[in-house]
Amino acid sequence: MMENNTIRVNALPTLTWHRLHVNACKTEPYAPAAPCVIRTETETGAAVVSPLEARSDCSAIETGVGKAIDGLFSWGMTITAGAGASDIVRMEIESENGKDCAAFVHVQAEKDSHLTLVQIWKADAARTALRTVVRAEAGAQVRLIQILTDSSVECINDTGCVTGEKASFEVIRLYLAKGNVISGVRTDLMGDGSSFSCKSGYLVNPDKKLDMNVIANHIGKHTQSDIRVEGTLYNGAEKAFRGTIDLKRGCAGSEGKEEENVLLLGDDVINKTIPLILCTEEDVKGSHGASIGELEQSMLFYFEARGISKEEAEKIVTKARLEKLCQDTADETAAAYMHQVIEEVI
């Protein structure tokens, strides 16, 4: 929806008080000058990567950022993991000579397949956008690892997934982008016994913005979701996190939980944490929690007693928070790269 030459993205499924200014994020629309430059390689060759030009495919699955950016995507690719196949696909996303760019990736994980998709963002443009949509059929296991080291002024990271019976979708995201980031994930847990987990780590640089939206729709019975977010905001940084667990009628036996831990460092930091649990089913469980604040004085005293300054202590804690993600990747190459970029940034 267009409002005064801006579009509303990352919208909450259910509105809260307008005066809080957390119902959605606003950004300026743009016309990409070129597709993103994407280099891919597969580890075993079991997954098939091919170009996909049907624009309708980019909006066939609902995503976290939303339909307002559908018009950005006119070029993309499909990754297909056949029934029972197992593979790791690595992908580097760049821009062409600094041009505004966009692309979408359609992932088809067929029955009982195992697919890990590693996306490393290295674009350097004014605007970069990537939409990844996943269809995980019965018994499929899909892991999406996203590492944003982007230098673009603004990047949009949009993801959507639909799960079949006993399928699983796992998202691991590391945000170390130099500019502003708009990021959304939506998963529709359609199949009974399916699951969704999303673990995010971030560092928002001074005077930059990160806007995140994670939606878990529990539709099938005995579905599971687990949303965890952890990161640090530096001087003048601004971050919003919307986490929605929607336990819909008919999803009996389902459970959703979410948690965020935020470290505030410096002055004029703005943090908005909006955990939301919606429920129209009785036989379900839902929980959420958040921890927001500066380093505790007792922790600072511990470091200072060992000759470690406050500034160095802040770096140690910030790095430790991000490196937790490396242990969850289950991919040595991706974990090594994550360690490398964390060391370079902090």
Side-chain angles (χ1 to χ4, degrees):
M1 182 170 62
M2 184 78 72
E3 296 180 5
N4 300 324
N5 201 37
T6 63
I7 54 175
R8 295 176 76 252
V9 295
N10 275 359
L12 284 172
T14 299
L15 301 182
T16 186
W17 294 101
H18 180 70
R19 61 180 174 79
L20 299 177
H21 303 291
V22 297
N23 285 318
C25 171
K26 292 183 180 180
T27 188
E28 296 180 359
Y30 75 102
C36 296
V37 177
I38 301 180
R39 297 179 177 85
T40 62
E41 63 176 17
T42 68
E43 188 166 277
T44 67
V48 178
V49 181
S50 57
L52 183 66
E53 298 181 354
R55 178 185 286 239
S56 61
D57 288 343
C58 82
S59 58
I61 294 175
E62 296 279 355
T63 59
V65 175
K67 291 184 174 295
I69 62 169
D70 283 358
L72 295 179
F73 307 105
S74 58
W75 178 90
M77 63 174 58
T78 183
I79 300 173
T80 304
S86 180
D87 204 350
I88 299 174
V89 178
R90 308 186 195 283
M91 178 181 295
E92 290 189 2
I93 300 105
E94 300 179 353
S95 54
E96 179 184 344
N97 299 322
K99 295 179 181 179
D100 292 351
C101 59
F104 69 93
V105 178
H106 184 275
V107 178
Q108 181 69 30
E110 297 182 358
K111 184 177 180 180
D112 296 326
S113 60
H114 293 71
L115 178 67
T116 295
L117 175 59
V118 182
Q119 297 177 334
I120 300 176
W121 294 50
K122 296 182 176 181
D124 185 5
R127 309 283 292 274
T128 302
L130 182 73
R131 170 175 284 174
T132 306
V133 294
V134 178
R135 190 174 297 279
E137 296 185 1
Q141 297 180 23
V142 179
R143 177 183 289 114
L144 175 62
I145 302 171
Q146 299 179 319
I147 307 170
L148 275 73
T149 57
D150 210 87
S151 297
S152 299
V153 176
E154 177 184 274
C155 59
I156 300 175
N157 177 22
D158 191 23
T159 304
C161 179
V162 174
T163 61
E165 184 178 0
K166 295 183 179 179
S168 68
F169 180 48
E170 180 182 0
V171 180
I172 297 172
R173 306 180 298 176
L174 176 63
Y175 290 113
L176 297 176
K178 296 177 176 64
N180 299 326
V181 177
I182 296 172
S183 174
V185 180
R186 168 173 166 165
T187 299
D188 291 344
L189 295 162
M190 300 289 296
D192 293 351
S194 59
S195 64
F196 165 57
S197 71
C198 182
K199 298 176 182 178
S200 304
Y202 60 82
L203 187 156
V204 186
N205 289 308
D207 303 315
K208 301 303 180 183
K209 297 181 180 179
L210 169 62
D211 196 279
M212 307 170 68
N213 189 35
V214 182
I215 302 172
N217 287 322
H218 291 258
I219 300 168
K221 294 180 174 62
H222 303 288
T223 53
Q224 302 282 325
S225 68
D226 188 3
I227 302 168
R228 299 182 184 274
V229 182
E230 193 157 12
T232 303
L233 307 180
Y234 281 109
N235 294 317
E238 182 175 344
K239 187 235 75 189
F241 168 67
R242 302 172 188 85
T244 302
I245 297 171
D246 194 347
L247 298 154
K248 297 183 179 294
R249 187 176 301 278
C251 72
S254 296
E255 181 177 3
K257 50 187 177 181
E258 59 179 316
E259 181 180 350
E260 184 182 23
N261 295 299
V262 188
L263 179 61
L264 309 178
L265 300 178
D267 301 322
D268 302 321
V269 173
I270 299 175
N271 177 74
K272 299 177 182 178
T273 298
I274 309 101
L276 178 63
I277 295 180
L278 305 174
C279 185
T280 52
E281 175 63 48
E282 292 184 1
D283 182 21
V284 293
K285 296 179 181 178
S287 62
H288 61 73
S291 173
I292 303 165
E294 302 176 349
L295 283 180
E296 296 180 359
Q297 289 300 316
S298 59
M299 182 177 291
L300 287 175
F301 178 79
Y302 176 87
F303 281 113
E304 290 174 355
R306 286 153 181 79
I308 300 173
S309 67
K310 178 181 178 182
E311 292 73 18
E312 188 62 27
E314 291 174 344
K315 289 182 180 180
I316 292 172
V317 175
T318 298
K319 186 183 297 185
R321 285 168 174 252
L322 296 177
E323 288 187 337
K324 287 181 182 179
L325 289 177
C326 302
Q327 304 170 12
D328 297 322
T329 59
D331 179 76
E332 291 184 2
T333 302
Y337 182 75
M338 290 170 73
H339 277 298
Q340 175 187 330
V341 295
I342 290 171
E343 288 290 338
E344 290 173 356
V345 171
I346 302 174

